[in-house]
C-alpha cells in the first residue's frame, strides 16, 4: 500500500481537501484523520494531487506518431505524455491510405495486448478521418479523403481489436447518416469535425447519435448570423461535447471564453491534438507524409496551415485558468472526468474516489508536473 499523507487532494464530490490517500492499483482509502500504514510518498508543501489527465485526441509526441504503426512508437508517446500528467489517452489516427490506417490499428491492438504498465494507458483509438469533407481537410492529405464506408470502418475496427472509441466525420457528406447510426449502435462516439456542416446537418447527426465535436472552431464552418454552422451548433446544442485545443494558437482566448460561456460544465474536453514534435526541440517535423515546421510552440505546414499542436495538457489547464478565467477545478474537470465520460472510462478513471484506479497527476502552484501515477505506479517523477 502506498500513501500520500496530509496532502492537498481534489476528492470527487468534496473539492480540494487536506487528507491522506492510500492506494495500490486502486484507491483504497481517503481519510481526513490520517492513515497510519503504507509507504508514504513525500510531496512538496505546494503540491496538489489531481486525477490523472485524459487526452481523447492526441496523434503523437516524443518524435513518434500513432500512424507510424509500431508498438515501439506508441510506447514512446505513452512515456512522453506521462511527463505532462496524462495517464490515459486515445491513440489518434489521421486520413491516410487504408494500408497505413490498418497498420496503425494493428499496432494499437498489439500494444494493448502486451499490457504495458509503462507510461500513460492506451484506452482506445480516435479515428480522425478518412471520412471527412475535402474542403475542410485542414492538415489531412486530400488524396485519402473518403466518403463514409461502414464495411471499411468495420475492417479497421476488427484490425484494432475493437478499440475504436471515437470517429471524426463530416455529417453532411453522402452516407454519413447511416454511418452515424451504425457507430451509435456499436457504442462508438461520432464526432463532428473537418466539416462544412450547417445547423440542419448537425441537428440530424445529433438525432442519430453524434455526441462530440472535434477540435471546436478548427476545420469547420464558422458562426454566421444567417447560418450558425458547426461552431454555432456546437454552442447551442447541449448534447454535444466540445473538444478544445487550449493553446491560444488554434483558438483565441476570447473564442475560448465564448465556448465556456455557452457550454454546460460537463461538455468541454481539453485535448492536445499534439503531433510527433511535442516533447522535442523546434525544427522540421512530419505529419501524414507532409513536412511540418515547428517554431515557438506552433506547428504548421509549408502553406501556413496549422498541423496539430505541441501543447502539453498541464499547460492547457493553466491557460484555461490564467487566460480564460475558468475556475481551477472546472479546468481540471475539462482534462479529466469530461473526456473520461466520452471515452466511457469514467467508472474507473477521471476522478479521485474510492474504488477507482489510482491515476494521479501531482502539480505545483506553477502547474509543473511533479509526479504522475498510473494504476498505483509512478510513471513519471520530476
Amino acid at each position: 500500500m502506498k500513501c500520500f499523507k496530509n496532502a492537498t487532494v481534489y476528492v470527487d464530490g468534496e473539492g480540494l481537501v487536506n487528507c491522506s490517500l492510500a492506494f495500490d492499483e486502486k484507491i483504497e482509502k481517503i481519510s481526513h484523520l490520517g492513515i497510519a500504514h503504507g509507504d508514504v510518498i513525500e510531496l512538496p508543501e505546494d503540491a496538489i494531487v489531481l486525477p490523472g489527465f485524459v487526452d481523447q485526441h492526441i496523434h503523437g509526441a516524443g518524435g513518434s506518431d500513432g500512424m507510424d504503426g509500431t508498438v515501439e512508437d506508441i510506447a514512446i508517446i505513452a512515456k512522453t505524455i506521462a511527463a505532462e500528467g496524462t495517464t490515459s489517452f486515445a491513440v489518434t489516427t489521421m486520413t491516410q491510405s487504408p494500408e497505413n490506417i490498418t497498420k496503425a490499428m494493428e499496432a494499437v491492438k498489439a500494444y494493448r495486448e502486451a499490457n504495458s504498465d509503462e507510461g500513460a494507458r492506451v484506452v482506445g483509438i480516435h479515428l480522425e478521418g478518412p471520412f471527412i469533407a475535402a474542403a475542410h481537410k485542414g492538415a489531412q492529405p486530400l488524396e485519402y479523403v473518403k466518403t463514409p464506408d461502414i464495411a471499411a470502418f468495420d475492417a479497421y475496427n476488427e484490425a484494432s481489436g475493437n478499440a475504436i472509441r471515437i470517429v471524426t466525420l463530416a455529417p453532411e457528406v453522402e452516407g454519413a447518416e447511416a454511418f452515424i447510426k451504425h457507430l451509435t449502435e456499436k457504442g462508438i462516439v461520432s464526432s463532428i469535425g473537418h466539416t462544412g456542416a450547417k445547423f440542419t446537418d448537425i441537428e440530424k447527426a445529433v438525432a442519430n447519435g453524434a455526441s462530440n465535436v472535434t477540435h471546436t472552431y478548427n476545420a469547420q464552418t464558422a458562426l454566421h448570423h444567417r447560418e450558425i454552422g458547426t461552431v454555432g451548433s456546437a454552442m447551442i446544442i447541449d448534447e454535444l461535447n466540445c473538444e478544445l485545443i487550449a493553446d491560444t494558437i488554434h483558438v483565441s482566448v476570447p473564442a475560448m471564453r465564448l465556448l465556456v460561456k455557452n457550454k454546460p460544465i460537463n461538455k468541454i474536453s481539453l485535448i492536445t491534438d499534439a503531433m510527433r514534435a511535442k516533447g522535442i526541440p523546434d525544427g522540421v517535423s512530419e505529419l501524414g507524409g507532409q513536412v511540418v515546421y515547428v517554431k515557438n510552440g506552433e506547428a504548421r505546414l509549408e502553406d501556413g496551415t496549422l498541423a496539430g499542436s505541441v501543447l502539453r495538457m498541464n499547460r492547457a489547464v493553466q491557460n484555461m485558468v490564467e487566460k480564460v478565467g475558468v475556475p481551477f477545478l472546472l479546468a481540471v474537470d475539462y482534462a479529466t472526468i469530461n473526456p473520461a465520460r466520452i471515452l466511457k472510462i469514467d467508472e474507473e478513471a477521471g476522478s479521485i474516489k474510492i474504488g477507482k484506479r489510482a491515476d494521479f497527476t501531482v502539480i505545483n502552484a506553477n502547474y509543473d508536473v511533479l509526479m504522475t501515477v498510473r494504476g498505483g505506479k509512478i510513471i513519471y517523477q520530476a
Side-chain angles (χ1 to χ4, degrees):
M1 185 91 70
K2 302 182 185 73
C3 174
F4 293 129
K5 191 173 182 180
N6 297 325
T8 302
V9 183
Y10 179 15
V11 177
D12 184 39
E14 297 184 45
L16 283 179
V17 296
N18 185 266
C19 64
S20 293
L21 189 64
F23 57 92
D24 284 316
E25 187 175 341
K26 293 184 177 181
I27 299 167
E28 302 292 340
K29 189 174 182 182
I30 300 171
S31 174
H32 301 284
L33 302 174
I35 297 171
H37 60 282
D39 297 326
V40 176
I41 299 173
E42 298 293 338
L43 298 177
E45 203 168 288
D46 68 341
I48 303 172
V49 180
L50 305 173
F53 297 144
V54 180
D55 198 343
Q56 68 182 61
H57 187 153
I58 172 172
H59 295 271
S64 292
D65 189 288
M67 289 302 297
D68 292 341
T70 73
V71 167
E72 292 75 19
D73 284 294
I74 296 171
I76 289 169
I77 298 167
K79 291 172 187 175
T80 301
I81 65 177
E84 63 197 59
T86 297
T87 53
S88 299
F89 72 107
V91 175
T92 305
T93 61
M94 67 179 296
T95 300
Q96 256 294 337
S97 68
E99 294 77 17
N100 284 344
I101 293 174
T102 300
K103 183 182 177 186
M105 299 294 106
E106 292 170 344
V108 171
K109 182 176 186 288
Y111 183 84
R112 280 161 57 87
E113 287 176 347
N115 202 28
S116 171
D117 62 356
E118 301 292 324
R121 178 185 293 103
V122 173
V123 296
I125 294 167
H126 182 155
L127 192 75
E128 187 181 13
F131 312 119
I132 59 175
H136 297 269
K137 65 180 181 60
Q140 309 257 355
L142 178 62
E143 62 267 35
Y144 298 119
V145 172
K146 303 292 182 187
T147 54
D149 184 328
I150 291 173
F153 167 79
D154 285 346
Y156 292 147
N157 201 25
E158 183 178 356
S160 75
N162 296 311
I164 298 176
R165 299 288 175 264
I166 305 172
V167 179
T168 291
L169 54 89
E172 77 279 11
V173 303
E174 184 181 354
E177 185 174 354
F179 189 48
I180 292 169
K181 288 178 180 177
H182 180 71
L183 295 176
T184 302
E185 288 169 2
K186 288 184 168 291
I188 296 167
V189 173
S190 293
S191 186
I192 298 163
H194 289 277
T195 175
K198 297 180 179 179
F199 175 72
T200 53
D201 300 314
I202 293 175
E203 198 175 34
K204 184 185 293 184
V206 172
N208 288 324
S211 58
N212 195 66
V213 179
T214 298
H215 45 51
T216 309
Y217 288 112
N218 298 108
Q220 57 196 232
T221 41
L223 173 66
H224 187 275
H225 60 284
R226 285 191 292 273
E227 170 50 61
I228 64 170
T230 305
V231 171
S233 301
M235 290 185 186
I236 68 166
I237 300 177
D238 285 349
E239 294 94 325
L240 286 172
N241 181 75
C242 291
E243 295 181 355
L244 181 63
I245 310 171
D247 60 357
T248 75
I249 298 165
H250 282 76
V251 184
S252 71
V253 170
M256 287 193 271
R257 288 176 180 161
L258 182 63
L259 188 68
V260 167
K261 191 170 185 178
N262 280 277
K263 294 304 295 181
I265 58 175
N266 64 338
K267 292 296 183 179
I268 293 177
S269 294
L270 294 182
I271 61 167
T272 64
D273 194 16
M275 44 91 71
R276 71 171 74 245
K278 176 161 73 168
I280 60 177
D282 285 1
V284 179
S285 189
E286 179 271 347
L287 181 70
Q290 304 163 105
V291 176
V292 176
Y293 299 91
V294 183
K295 186 177 180 181
N296 299 326
E298 296 187 21
R300 295 183 182 271
L301 301 182
E302 193 169 7
D303 65 3
T305 301
L306 282 167
S309 83
V310 290
L311 178 65
R312 297 169 184 256
M313 190 63 85
N314 58 314
R315 299 306 170 198
V317 173
Q318 182 178 14
N319 286 341
M320 293 303 289
V321 177
E322 296 185 351
K323 297 180 179 178
V324 181
V326 172
F328 173 67
L329 294 183
L330 179 55
V332 172
D333 286 349
Y334 288 167
T336 55
I337 192 63
N338 289 3
R341 288 192 191 102
I342 291 296
L343 292 167
K344 297 180 174 63
I345 58 169
D346 52 303
E347 291 297 317
E348 57 194 60
S351 62
I352 295 176
K353 184 178 182 180
I354 292 173
K356 283 198 172 186
R357 286 199 307 246
D359 290 356
F360 311 120
T361 300
V362 184
I363 65 169
N364 63 16
N366 296 319
Y367 294 83
D368 302 319
V369 175
L370 307 177
M371 181 184 297
T372 307
V373 178
R374 172 198 154 187
K377 178 184 176 181
I378 297 172
I379 58 171
Y380 169 79
Q381 191 161 11

